[in-house]
PDB file of all heavy atoms in Angstrom:
ATOM      1  N   ARG A  57      60.686 -12.776  -3.546  1.00 95.00           N
ATOM      2  CA  ARG A  57      59.405 -12.346  -4.089  1.00 95.00           C
ATOM      3  C   ARG A  57      59.419 -10.867  -4.476  1.00 95.00           C
ATOM      4  O   ARG A  57      58.370 -10.244  -4.650  1.00 95.00           O
ATOM      5  CB  ARG A  57      58.252 -12.608  -3.101  1.00 95.00           C
ATOM      6  CG  ARG A  57      58.121 -14.020  -2.560  1.00 95.00           C
ATOM      7  CD  ARG A  57      57.814 -15.016  -3.651  1.00 95.00           C
ATOM      8  NE  ARG A  57      56.566 -14.724  -4.314  1.00 95.00           N
ATOM      9  CZ  ARG A  57      55.376 -15.211  -3.922  1.00 95.00           C
ATOM     10  NH1 ARG A  57      55.312 -15.995  -2.855  1.00 95.00           N
ATOM     11  NH2 ARG A  57      54.277 -14.940  -4.594  1.00 95.00           N
ATOM     12  N   GLY A  58      60.610 -10.260  -4.567  1.00 94.00           N
ATOM     13  CA  GLY A  58      60.711  -8.839  -4.882  1.00 94.00           C
ATOM     14  C   GLY A  58      60.361  -8.559  -6.334  1.00 94.00           C
ATOM     15  O   GLY A  58      60.706  -9.331  -7.232  1.00 94.00           O
ATOM     16  N   ASP A  59      59.700  -7.444  -6.577  1.00 93.00           N
ATOM     17  CA  ASP A  59      59.319  -7.055  -7.936  1.00 93.00           C
ATOM     18  C   ASP A  59      60.353  -6.166  -8.608  1.00 93.00           C
ATOM     19  O   ASP A  59      60.303  -5.968  -9.823  1.00 93.00           O
ATOM     20  CB  ASP A  59      57.966  -6.322  -7.917  1.00 93.00           C
ATOM     21  CG  ASP A  59      56.803  -7.265  -7.673  1.00 93.00           C
ATOM     22  OD1 ASP A  59      56.839  -8.395  -8.203  1.00 93.00           O
ATOM     23  OD2 ASP A  59      55.854  -6.878  -6.955  1.00 93.00           O
ATOM     24  N   PHE A  60      61.273  -5.611  -7.834  1.00 95.00           N
ATOM     25  CA  PHE A  60      62.280  -4.731  -8.414  1.00 95.00           C
ATOM     26  C   PHE A  60      63.273  -5.555  -9.230  1.00 95.00           C
ATOM     27  O   PHE A  60      63.788  -6.574  -8.762  1.00 95.00           O
ATOM     28  CB  PHE A  60      63.015  -3.961  -7.315  1.00 95.00           C
ATOM     29  CG  PHE A  60      64.011  -2.962  -7.833  1.00 95.00           C
ATOM     30  CD1 PHE A  60      63.589  -1.734  -8.315  1.00 95.00           C
ATOM     31  CD2 PHE A  60      65.372  -3.258  -7.851  1.00 95.00           C
ATOM     32  CE1 PHE A  60      64.505  -0.809  -8.802  1.00 95.00           C
ATOM     33  CE2 PHE A  60      66.292  -2.348  -8.324  1.00 95.00           C
ATOM     34  CZ  PHE A  60      65.857  -1.125  -8.809  1.00 95.00           C
ATOM     35  N   ILE A  61      63.540  -5.119 -10.470  1.00 94.00           N
ATOM     36  CA  ILE A  61      64.506  -5.783 -11.332  1.00 94.00           C
ATOM     37  C   ILE A  61      65.859  -5.109 -11.135  1.00 94.00           C
ATOM     38  O   ILE A  61      66.061  -3.960 -11.540  1.00 94.00           O
ATOM     39  CB  ILE A  61      64.085  -5.722 -12.810  1.00 94.00           C
ATOM     40  CG1 ILE A  61      62.671  -6.288 -12.984  1.00 94.00           C
ATOM     41  CG2 ILE A  61      65.088  -6.479 -13.675  1.00 94.00           C
ATOM     42  CD1 ILE A  61      62.522  -7.731 -12.578  1.00 94.00           C
ATOM     43  N   PHE A  62      66.792  -5.805 -10.525  1.00 96.00           N
ATOM     44  CA  PHE A  62      68.098  -5.221 -10.233  1.00 96.00           C
ATOM     45  C   PHE A  62      68.951  -5.164 -11.494  1.00 96.00           C
ATOM     46  O   PHE A  62      69.176  -6.200 -12.144  1.00 96.00           O
ATOM     47  CB  PHE A  62      68.835  -6.058  -9.181  1.00 96.00           C
ATOM     48  CG  PHE A  62      68.341  -5.862  -7.786  1.00 96.00           C
ATOM     49  CD1 PHE A  62      67.334  -6.668  -7.278  1.00 96.00           C
ATOM     50  CD2 PHE A  62      68.877  -4.864  -6.981  1.00 96.00           C
ATOM     51  CE1 PHE A  62      66.869  -6.499  -5.981  1.00 96.00           C
ATOM     52  CE2 PHE A  62      68.418  -4.679  -5.687  1.00 96.00           C
ATOM     53  CZ  PHE A  62      67.413  -5.495  -5.188  1.00 96.00           C
ATOM     54  N   PRO A  63      69.456  -3.985 -11.843  1.00 95.00           N
ATOM     55  CA  PRO A  63      70.424  -3.911 -12.951  1.00 95.00           C
ATOM     56  C   PRO A  63      71.761  -4.480 -12.511  1.00 95.00           C
ATOM     57  O   PRO A  63      72.076  -4.526 -11.313  1.00 95.00           O
ATOM     58  CB  PRO A  63      70.511  -2.411 -13.235  1.00 95.00           C
ATOM     59  CG  PRO A  63      70.157  -1.759 -11.940  1.00 95.00           C
ATOM     60  CD  PRO A  63      69.149  -2.661 -11.278  1.00 95.00           C
ATOM     61  N   GLN A  64      72.540  -4.886 -13.477  1.00 96.00           N
ATOM     62  CA  GLN A  64      73.839  -5.470 -13.167  1.00 96.00           C
ATOM     63  C   GLN A  64      74.737  -4.495 -12.410  1.00 96.00           C
ATOM     64  O   GLN A  64      75.563  -4.908 -11.586  1.00 96.00           O
ATOM     65  CB  GLN A  64      74.521  -5.929 -14.449  1.00 96.00           C
ATOM     66  CG  GLN A  64      75.800  -6.737 -14.235  1.00 96.00           C
ATOM     67  CD  GLN A  64      76.363  -7.288 -15.527  1.00 96.00           C
ATOM     68  OE1 GLN A  64      75.910  -6.940 -16.609  1.00 96.00           O
ATOM     69  NE2 GLN A  64      77.337  -8.167 -15.425  1.00 96.00           N
ATOM     70  N   SER A  65      74.563  -3.211 -12.665  1.00 96.00           N
ATOM     71  CA  SER A  65      75.388  -2.206 -11.993  1.00 96.00           C
ATOM     72  C   SER A  65      75.181  -2.209 -10.483  1.00 96.00           C
ATOM     73  O   SER A  65      76.052  -1.769  -9.730  1.00 96.00           O
ATOM     74  CB  SER A  65      75.059  -0.809 -12.548  1.00 96.00           C
ATOM     75  OG  SER A  65      73.692  -0.489 -12.328  1.00 96.00           O
ATOM     76  N   ILE A  66      74.031  -2.726 -10.032  1.00 97.00           N
ATOM     77  CA  ILE A  66      73.771  -2.820  -8.596  1.00 97.00           C
ATOM     78  C   ILE A  66      74.133  -4.190  -8.055  1.00 97.00           C
ATOM     79  O   ILE A  66      74.847  -4.310  -7.065  1.00 97.00           O
ATOM     80  CB  ILE A  66      72.301  -2.482  -8.284  1.00 97.00           C
ATOM     81  CG1 ILE A  66      71.996  -1.020  -8.617  1.00 97.00           C
ATOM     82  CG2 ILE A  66      71.990  -2.754  -6.803  1.00 97.00           C
ATOM     83  CD1 ILE A  66      70.544  -0.635  -8.424  1.00 97.00           C
ATOM     84  N   TYR A  67      73.644  -5.249  -8.718  1.00 97.00           N
ATOM     85  CA  TYR A  67      73.864  -6.566  -8.111  1.00 97.00           C
ATOM     86  C   TYR A  67      75.315  -7.016  -8.168  1.00 97.00           C
ATOM     87  O   TYR A  67      75.727  -7.906  -7.417  1.00 97.00           O
ATOM     88  CB  TYR A  67      72.903  -7.622  -8.652  1.00 97.00           C
ATOM     89  CG  TYR A  67      73.106  -8.102 -10.074  1.00 97.00           C
ATOM     90  CD1 TYR A  67      74.165  -8.930 -10.424  1.00 97.00           C
ATOM     91  CD2 TYR A  67      72.166  -7.784 -11.064  1.00 97.00           C
ATOM     92  CE1 TYR A  67      74.321  -9.405 -11.715  1.00 97.00           C
ATOM     93  CE2 TYR A  67      72.312  -8.249 -12.364  1.00 97.00           C
ATOM     94  CZ  TYR A  67      73.387  -9.073 -12.681  1.00 97.00           C
ATOM     95  OH  TYR A  67      73.537  -9.542 -13.964  1.00 97.00           O
ATOM     96  N   LYS A  68      76.113  -6.391  -9.023  1.00 97.00           N
ATOM     97  CA  LYS A  68      77.545  -6.729  -9.031  1.00 97.00           C
ATOM     98  C   LYS A  68      78.232  -6.259  -7.750  1.00 97.00           C
ATOM     99  O   LYS A  68      79.348  -6.693  -7.442  1.00 97.00           O
ATOM    100  CB  LYS A  68      78.233  -6.120 -10.248  1.00 97.00           C
ATOM    101  CG  LYS A  68      78.389  -4.606 -10.180  1.00 97.00           C
ATOM    102  CD  LYS A  68      79.141  -4.063 -11.389  1.00 97.00           C
ATOM    103  CE  LYS A  68      79.356  -2.547 -11.279  1.00 97.00           C
ATOM    104  NZ  LYS A  68      80.085  -2.017 -12.459  1.00 97.00           N
ATOM    105  N   ASN A  69      77.562  -5.367  -6.989  1.00 97.00           N
ATOM    106  CA  ASN A  69      78.119  -4.867  -5.738  1.00 97.00           C
ATOM    107  C   ASN A  69      77.849  -5.790  -4.557  1.00 97.00           C
ATOM    108  O   ASN A  69      78.234  -5.477  -3.432  1.00 97.00           O
ATOM    109  CB  ASN A  69      77.564  -3.474  -5.435  1.00 97.00           C
ATOM    110  CG  ASN A  69      78.034  -2.434  -6.433  1.00 97.00           C
ATOM    111  OD1 ASN A  69      79.146  -2.515  -6.950  1.00 97.00           O
ATOM    112  ND2 ASN A  69      77.192  -1.456  -6.709  1.00 97.00           N
ATOM    113  N   ALA A  70      77.163  -6.900  -4.818  1.00 98.00           N
ATOM    114  CA  ALA A  70      76.979  -7.932  -3.796  1.00 98.00           C
ATOM    115  C   ALA A  70      78.146  -8.908  -3.937  1.00 98.00           C
ATOM    116  O   ALA A  70      78.180  -9.718  -4.866  1.00 98.00           O
ATOM    117  CB  ALA A  70      75.645  -8.634  -3.980  1.00 98.00           C
ATOM    118  N   HIS A  71      79.102  -8.850  -3.045  1.00 98.00           N
ATOM    119  CA  HIS A  71      80.388  -9.522  -3.240  1.00 98.00           C
ATOM    120  C   HIS A  71      80.311 -11.038  -3.109  1.00 98.00           C
ATOM    121  O   HIS A  71      81.134 -11.749  -3.685  1.00 98.00           O
ATOM    122  CB  HIS A  71      81.417  -8.963  -2.254  1.00 98.00           C
ATOM    123  CG  HIS A  71      81.613  -7.487  -2.372  1.00 98.00           C
ATOM    124  ND1 HIS A  71      81.955  -6.879  -3.567  1.00 98.00           N
ATOM    125  CD2 HIS A  71      81.483  -6.476  -1.462  1.00 98.00           C
ATOM    126  CE1 HIS A  71      82.053  -5.570  -3.379  1.00 98.00           C
ATOM    127  NE2 HIS A  71      81.763  -5.295  -2.118  1.00 98.00           N
ATOM    128  N   LYS A  72      79.335 -11.539  -2.361  1.00 98.00           N
ATOM    129  CA  LYS A  72      79.229 -12.990  -2.185  1.00 98.00           C
ATOM    130  C   LYS A  72      78.140 -13.616  -3.049  1.00 98.00           C
ATOM    131  O   LYS A  72      78.194 -14.810  -3.336  1.00 98.00           O
ATOM    132  CB  LYS A  72      78.992 -13.329  -0.710  1.00 98.00           C
ATOM    133  CG  LYS A  72      80.194 -13.029   0.172  1.00 98.00           C
ATOM    134  CD  LYS A  72      80.029 -13.595   1.562  1.00 98.00           C
ATOM    135  CE  LYS A  72      81.282 -13.391   2.392  1.00 98.00           C
ATOM    136  NZ  LYS A  72      81.155 -13.971   3.759  1.00 98.00           N
ATOM    137  N   GLY A  73      77.159 -12.828  -3.448  1.00 98.00           N
ATOM    138  CA  GLY A  73      76.124 -13.393  -4.295  1.00 98.00           C
ATOM    139  C   GLY A  73      74.883 -12.527  -4.360  1.00 98.00           C
ATOM    140  O   GLY A  73      74.606 -11.734  -3.453  1.00 98.00           O
ATOM    141  N   ALA A  74      74.151 -12.668  -5.455  1.00 98.00           N
ATOM    142  CA  ALA A  74      72.879 -11.973  -5.645  1.00 98.00           C
ATOM    143  C   ALA A  74      71.909 -12.991  -6.230  1.00 98.00           C
ATOM    144  O   ALA A  74      72.119 -13.496  -7.336  1.00 98.00           O
ATOM    145  CB  ALA A  74      73.040 -10.786  -6.584  1.00 98.00           C
ATOM    146  N   ILE A  75      70.872 -13.313  -5.462  1.00 98.00           N
ATOM    147  CA  ILE A  75      69.964 -14.387  -5.850  1.00 98.00           C
ATOM    148  C   ILE A  75      68.514 -13.922  -5.819  1.00 98.00           C
ATOM    149  O   ILE A  75      68.175 -12.930  -5.167  1.00 98.00           O
ATOM    150  CB  ILE A  75      70.139 -15.624  -4.952  1.00 98.00           C
ATOM    151  CG1 ILE A  75      69.746 -15.310  -3.500  1.00 98.00           C
ATOM    152  CG2 ILE A  75      71.575 -16.133  -5.015  1.00 98.00           C
ATOM    153  CD1 ILE A  75      69.797 -16.526  -2.579  1.00 98.00           C
ATOM    154  N   ASN A  76      67.686 -14.653  -6.538  1.00 98.00           N
ATOM    155  CA  ASN A  76      66.259 -14.350  -6.617  1.00 98.00           C
ATOM    156  C   ASN A  76      65.454 -15.612  -6.375  1.00 98.00           C
ATOM    157  O   ASN A  76      65.830 -16.695  -6.831  1.00 98.00           O
ATOM    158  CB  ASN A  76      65.914 -13.783  -8.000  1.00 98.00           C
ATOM    159  CG  ASN A  76      64.426 -13.503  -8.158  1.00 98.00           C
ATOM    160  OD1 ASN A  76      63.837 -12.777  -7.364  1.00 98.00           O
ATOM    161  ND2 ASN A  76      63.809 -14.083  -9.168  1.00 98.00           N
ATOM    162  N   LEU A  77      64.359 -15.470  -5.647  1.00 98.00           N
ATOM    163  CA  LEU A  77      63.425 -16.573  -5.468  1.00 98.00           C
ATOM    164  C   LEU A  77      62.188 -16.287  -6.307  1.00 98.00           C
ATOM    165  O   LEU A  77      61.457 -15.335  -6.058  1.00 98.00           O
ATOM    166  CB  LEU A  77      63.079 -16.771  -4.003  1.00 98.00           C
ATOM    167  CG  LEU A  77      64.251 -17.403  -3.229  1.00 98.00           C
ATOM    168  CD1 LEU A  77      64.946 -16.368  -2.370  1.00 98.00           C
ATOM    169  CD2 LEU A  77      63.792 -18.584  -2.394  1.00 98.00           C
ATOM    170  N   HIS A  78      62.008 -17.118  -7.316  1.00 97.00           N
ATOM    171  CA  HIS A  78      60.971 -16.945  -8.331  1.00 97.00           C
ATOM    172  C   HIS A  78      59.866 -17.959  -8.057  1.00 97.00           C
ATOM    173  O   HIS A  78      60.110 -19.172  -8.109  1.00 97.00           O
ATOM    174  CB  HIS A  78      61.600 -17.172  -9.708  1.00 97.00           C
ATOM    175  CG  HIS A  78      60.639 -17.201 -10.846  1.00 97.00           C
ATOM    176  ND1 HIS A  78      59.834 -16.136 -11.182  1.00 97.00           N
ATOM    177  CD2 HIS A  78      60.370 -18.182 -11.758  1.00 97.00           C
ATOM    178  CE1 HIS A  78      59.113 -16.448 -12.243  1.00 97.00           C
ATOM    179  NE2 HIS A  78      59.414 -17.686 -12.609  1.00 97.00           N
ATOM    180  N   PRO A  79      58.641 -17.514  -7.761  1.00 96.00           N
ATOM    181  CA  PRO A  79      57.583 -18.439  -7.359  1.00 96.00           C
ATOM    182  C   PRO A  79      56.934 -19.165  -8.538  1.00 96.00           C
ATOM    183  O   PRO A  79      55.718 -19.092  -8.748  1.00 96.00           O
ATOM    184  CB  PRO A  79      56.590 -17.517  -6.646  1.00 96.00           C
ATOM    185  CG  PRO A  79      56.727 -16.212  -7.361  1.00 96.00           C
ATOM    186  CD  PRO A  79      58.195 -16.108  -7.706  1.00 96.00           C
ATOM    187  N   ALA A  80      57.756 -19.856  -9.295  1.00 97.00           N
ATOM    188  CA  ALA A  80      57.288 -20.632 -10.444  1.00 97.00           C
ATOM    189  C   ALA A  80      58.408 -21.578 -10.851  1.00 97.00           C
ATOM    190  O   ALA A  80      59.573 -21.334 -10.538  1.00 97.00           O
ATOM    191  CB  ALA A  80      56.917 -19.720 -11.611  1.00 97.00           C
ATOM    192  N   PRO A  81      58.091 -22.645 -11.573  1.00 98.00           N
ATOM    193  CA  PRO A  81      59.146 -23.536 -12.070  1.00 98.00           C
ATOM    194  C   PRO A  81      59.895 -22.894 -13.229  1.00 98.00           C
ATOM    195  O   PRO A  81      59.420 -21.913 -13.817  1.00 98.00           O
ATOM    196  CB  PRO A  81      58.362 -24.778 -12.517  1.00 98.00           C
ATOM    197  CG  PRO A  81      57.004 -24.268 -12.857  1.00 98.00           C
ATOM    198  CD  PRO A  81      56.742 -23.144 -11.909  1.00 98.00           C
ATOM    199  N   PRO A  82      61.051 -23.422 -13.593  1.00 97.00           N
ATOM    200  CA  PRO A  82      61.871 -22.794 -14.638  1.00 97.00           C
ATOM    201  C   PRO A  82      61.185 -22.667 -15.988  1.00 97.00           C
ATOM    202  O   PRO A  82      61.558 -21.793 -16.781  1.00 97.00           O
ATOM    203  CB  PRO A  82      63.095 -23.720 -14.733  1.00 97.00           C
ATOM    204  CG  PRO A  82      63.174 -24.377 -13.391  1.00 97.00           C
ATOM    205  CD  PRO A  82      61.764 -24.552 -12.953  1.00 97.00           C
ATOM    206  N   LYS A  83      60.207 -23.511 -16.287  1.00 96.00           N
ATOM    207  CA  LYS A  83      59.534 -23.439 -17.586  1.00 96.00           C
ATOM    208  C   LYS A  83      58.762 -22.137 -17.743  1.00 96.00           C
ATOM    209  O   LYS A  83      58.452 -21.732 -18.867  1.00 96.00           O
ATOM    210  CB  LYS A  83      58.606 -24.631 -17.791  1.00 96.00           C
ATOM    211  CG  LYS A  83      57.419 -24.678 -16.853  1.00 96.00           C
ATOM    212  CD  LYS A  83      56.570 -25.930 -17.045  1.00 96.00           C
ATOM    213  CE  LYS A  83      55.810 -25.907 -18.349  1.00 96.00           C
ATOM    214  NZ  LYS A  83      54.876 -27.068 -18.456  1.00 96.00           N
ATOM    215  N   TYR A  84      58.436 -21.485 -16.618  1.00 95.00           N
ATOM    216  CA  TYR A  84      57.674 -20.239 -16.654  1.00 95.00           C
ATOM    217  C   TYR A  84      58.539 -19.089 -16.147  1.00 95.00           C
ATOM    218  O   TYR A  84      58.598 -18.812 -14.959  1.00 95.00           O
ATOM    219  CB  TYR A  84      56.416 -20.346 -15.802  1.00 95.00           C
ATOM    220  CG  TYR A  84      55.390 -21.333 -16.306  1.00 95.00           C
ATOM    221  CD1 TYR A  84      55.016 -22.438 -15.544  1.00 95.00           C
ATOM    222  CD2 TYR A  84      54.787 -21.166 -17.552  1.00 95.00           C
ATOM    223  CE1 TYR A  84      54.074 -23.340 -15.998  1.00 95.00           C
ATOM    224  CE2 TYR A  84      53.848 -22.061 -18.026  1.00 95.00           C
ATOM    225  CZ  TYR A  84      53.491 -23.150 -17.240  1.00 95.00           C
ATOM    226  OH  TYR A  84      52.562 -24.045 -17.711  1.00 95.00           O
ATOM    227  N   ARG A  85      59.208 -18.423 -17.038  1.00 95.00           N
ATOM    228  CA  ARG A  85      59.924 -17.202 -16.695  1.00 95.00           C
ATOM    229  C   ARG A  85      58.913 -16.050 -16.675  1.00 95.00           C
ATOM    230  O   ARG A  85      57.950 -16.037 -17.440  1.00 95.00           O
ATOM    231  CB  ARG A  85      61.008 -16.915 -17.727  1.00 95.00           C
ATOM    232  CG  ARG A  85      62.068 -17.989 -17.865  1.00 95.00           C
ATOM    233  CD  ARG A  85      62.959 -17.730 -19.064  1.00 95.00           C
ATOM    234  NE  ARG A  85      63.590 -16.425 -19.004  1.00 95.00           N
ATOM    235  CZ  ARG A  85      63.828 -15.662 -20.069  1.00 95.00           C
ATOM    236  NH1 ARG A  85      63.458 -16.067 -21.284  1.00 95.00           N
ATOM    237  NH2 ARG A  85      64.408 -14.495 -19.925  1.00 95.00           N
ATOM    238  N   GLY A  86      59.134 -15.057 -15.811  1.00 90.00           N
ATOM    239  CA  GLY A  86      58.270 -13.889 -15.817  1.00 90.00           C
ATOM    240  C   GLY A  86      57.078 -14.005 -14.884  1.00 90.00           C
ATOM    241  O   GLY A  86      57.156 -14.638 -13.838  1.00 90.00           O
ATOM    242  N   LEU A  87      55.951 -13.407 -15.314  1.00 87.00           N
ATOM    243  CA  LEU A  87      54.794 -13.225 -14.438  1.00 87.00           C
ATOM    244  C   LEU A  87      53.563 -14.003 -14.908  1.00 87.00           C
ATOM    245  O   LEU A  87      53.434 -14.331 -16.083  1.00 87.00           O
ATOM    246  CB  LEU A  87      54.450 -11.740 -14.350  1.00 87.00           C
ATOM    247  CG  LEU A  87      55.543 -10.825 -13.784  1.00 87.00           C
ATOM    248  CD1 LEU A  87      55.127  -9.365 -13.911  1.00 87.00           C
ATOM    249  CD2 LEU A  87      55.817 -11.169 -12.331  1.00 87.00           C
ATOM    250  N   GLY A  88      52.674 -14.250 -13.938  1.00 85.00           N
ATOM    251  CA  GLY A  88      51.376 -14.840 -14.269  1.00 85.00           C
ATOM    252  C   GLY A  88      51.388 -16.325 -14.513  1.00 85.00           C
ATOM    253  O   GLY A  88      50.424 -16.881 -15.043  1.00 85.00           O
ATOM    254  N   SER A  89      52.459 -16.997 -14.103  1.00 88.00           N
ATOM    255  CA  SER A  89      52.626 -18.400 -14.484  1.00 88.00           C
ATOM    256  C   SER A  89      51.577 -19.322 -13.896  1.00 88.00           C
ATOM    257  O   SER A  89      51.264 -20.363 -14.479  1.00 88.00           O
ATOM    258  CB  SER A  89      54.017 -18.880 -14.073  1.00 88.00           C
ATOM    259  OG  SER A  89      54.235 -18.671 -12.693  1.00 88.00           O
ATOM    260  N   GLN A  90      50.991 -18.959 -12.746  1.00 91.00           N
ATOM    261  CA  GLN A  90      49.993 -19.844 -12.159  1.00 91.00           C
ATOM    262  C   GLN A  90      48.776 -19.987 -13.065  1.00 91.00           C
ATOM    263  O   GLN A  90      48.146 -21.049 -13.133  1.00 91.00           O
ATOM    264  CB  GLN A  90      49.581 -19.365 -10.758  1.00 91.00           C
ATOM    265  CG  GLN A  90      48.789 -18.068 -10.714  1.00 91.00           C
ATOM    266  CD  GLN A  90      49.681 -16.848 -10.630  1.00 91.00           C
ATOM    267  OE1 GLN A  90      50.864 -16.911 -10.964  1.00 91.00           O
ATOM    268  NE2 GLN A  90      49.138 -15.738 -10.184  1.00 91.00           N
ATOM    269  N   HIS A  91      48.449 -18.945 -13.815  1.00 89.00           N
ATOM    270  CA  HIS A  91      47.314 -19.001 -14.738  1.00 89.00           C
ATOM    271  C   HIS A  91      47.601 -19.959 -15.894  1.00 89.00           C
ATOM    272  O   HIS A  91      46.744 -20.749 -16.292  1.00 89.00           O
ATOM    273  CB  HIS A  91      47.004 -17.606 -15.280  1.00 89.00           C
ATOM    274  CG  HIS A  91      46.661 -16.618 -14.217  1.00 89.00           C
ATOM    275  ND1 HIS A  91      45.411 -16.537 -13.642  1.00 89.00           N
ATOM    276  CD2 HIS A  91      47.421 -15.660 -13.597  1.00 89.00           C
ATOM    277  CE1 HIS A  91      45.406 -15.577 -12.737  1.00 89.00           C
ATOM    278  NE2 HIS A  91      46.609 -15.036 -12.680  1.00 89.00           N
ATOM    279  N   TYR A  92      48.808 -19.877 -16.412  1.00 88.00           N
ATOM    280  CA  TYR A  92      49.177 -20.755 -17.520  1.00 88.00           C
ATOM    281  C   TYR A  92      49.284 -22.203 -17.057  1.00 88.00           C
ATOM    282  O   TYR A  92      48.917 -23.130 -17.799  1.00 88.00           O
ATOM    283  CB  TYR A  92      50.501 -20.293 -18.139  1.00 88.00           C
ATOM    284  CG  TYR A  92      50.449 -18.882 -18.670  1.00 88.00           C
ATOM    285  CD1 TYR A  92      51.085 -17.832 -18.013  1.00 88.00           C
ATOM    286  CD2 TYR A  92      49.734 -18.584 -19.838  1.00 88.00           C
ATOM    287  CE1 TYR A  92      51.034 -16.541 -18.495  1.00 88.00           C
ATOM    288  CE2 TYR A  92      49.677 -17.286 -20.331  1.00 88.00           C
ATOM    289  CZ  TYR A  92      50.329 -16.266 -19.650  1.00 88.00           C
ATOM    290  OH  TYR A  92      50.266 -14.977 -20.128  1.00 88.00           O
ATOM    291  N   ALA A  93      49.783 -22.418 -15.855  1.00 92.00           N
ATOM    292  CA  ALA A  93      49.899 -23.782 -15.337  1.00 92.00           C
ATOM    293  C   ALA A  93      48.526 -24.438 -15.217  1.00 92.00           C
ATOM    294  O   ALA A  93      48.366 -25.623 -15.541  1.00 92.00           O
ATOM    295  CB  ALA A  93      50.604 -23.767 -13.981  1.00 92.00           C
TER     296      ALA A  93
END
């Protein structure tokens, strides 16, 4: 649920993986998706 957008220069330093949990289905990228749903 983090709002910080990690640049590749940072997340590439995670040797096993860098993942994000996005509180919306894939059809809604970005923000405010509950309103559109």
Side-chain angles (χ1 to χ4, degrees):
R57 307 296 299 270
D59 286 322
F60 184 79
I61 305 299
F62 284 91
Q64 188 174 9
S65 60
I66 295 176
Y67 71 73
K68 71 177 183 180
N69 293 327
H71 302 305
K72 292 190 175 181
I75 65 176
N76 178 55
L77 287 105
H78 173 61
K83 66 183 290 186
Y84 294 118
R85 300 170 57 216
L87 299 173
S89 56
Q90 69 271 20
H91 300 280
Y92 301 107

